[in-house]
Amino acid sequence: MRLAINGILFQIAWWATALFRGKAVECLVVIALLLYLSNRDKRQARLDTVVLLPSLLLVEQTLSFLGLFRYDDAMLPDYIVLLWACFVFTVRESLSFIFKLNTFSQLFLLSLGFSISYLAAENLNLLTLQFERIEFVLCFGTSWSVCFILLAQTSLKLSLRD
């Protein structure tokens, strides 16, 4: 049940961002707060907030800076920061099945998922791709999936240290 709730809350956050852009900030703050206050391991939530979230934002900023895509209104719009926060707070449960797969399957599924999300964002005029779609999927999807796996594993290892 919690998996379904996490998935639904993240979809609400994604669509609020896509449809309302900056106007969705209040909605995303409430959703992020609800997710943060959820029944998660608080230590892992803090680690995700101080390790995983800034790292994901850095990767996002770097890929944008390298020219894979660009946002029209800012280098890294505030609603994207809040959307990544929502993602970080839901990822452990929503994507728990991915972490049980072999590395190749993880890379493939994450690459596909991240790419589809950004292709949808392009269709909704949230960002502009700087490459043809197939090139974007190959470069972006691979980059994001590798970075995400490394960052998620690092965050998890840090939480297991104590």
Side-chain angles (χ1 to χ4, degrees):
M1 182 67 161
R2 285 181 42 84
L3 179 61
I5 291 170
N6 257 358
I8 289 168
L9 286 174
F10 182 73
Q11 286 302 311
I12 290 170
W14 196 97
W15 283 102
T17 298
L19 298 176
F20 303 113
R21 292 194 179 123
K23 297 176 184 87
V25 170
E26 295 84 1
C27 177
L28 292 174
V29 168
V30 170
I31 292 169
L33 183 62
L34 287 173
L35 294 171
Y36 182 75
L37 296 174
S38 71
N39 220 2
R40 295 182 63 215
D41 173 16
K42 300 303 183 204
R43 186 173 190 291
Q44 185 64 50
R46 280 191 303 277
L47 268 172
D48 286 347
T49 303
V50 297
V51 175
L52 190 56
L53 181 59
S55 301
L56 291 171
L57 292 173
L58 179 62
V59 172
E60 176 90 6
Q61 185 74 30
T62 301
L63 293 175
S64 177
F65 180 77
L66 292 174
L68 286 170
F69 61 91
R70 70 176 170 77
Y71 294 104
D72 293 333
D73 50 353
M75 196 68 160
L76 195 60
D78 56 350
Y79 58 87
I80 295 299
V81 173
L82 291 170
L83 183 57
W84 274 111
C86 289
F87 179 76
V88 165
F89 295 137
T90 60
V91 70
R92 296 251 178 246
E93 281 190 51
S94 298
L95 297 180
S96 61
F97 72 95
I98 285 182
F99 298 113
K100 296 174 185 168
L101 301 173
N102 65 47
T103 303
F104 178 78
S105 298
Q106 288 178 359
L107 290 171
F108 177 76
L109 290 174
L110 288 169
S111 177
L112 188 63
F114 283 129
S115 296
I116 288 171
S117 181
Y118 278 73
L119 292 172
E122 181 202 26
N123 285 337
L124 295 167
N125 296 317
L126 291 173
L127 56 87
T128 305
L129 300 182
Q130 303 297 306
F131 290 89
E132 294 297 320
R133 287 176 175 236
I134 190 68
E135 293 169 333
F136 176 80
V137 168
L138 291 173
C139 293
F140 177 81
T142 303
S143 300
W144 250 126
S145 59
V146 167
C147 289
F148 178 75
I149 289 169
L150 292 173
L151 292 170
Q153 287 177 348
T154 300
S155 180
L156 186 60
K157 285 179 183 175
L158 288 172
S159 73
L160 298 175
R161 279 182 141 175
D162 290 334

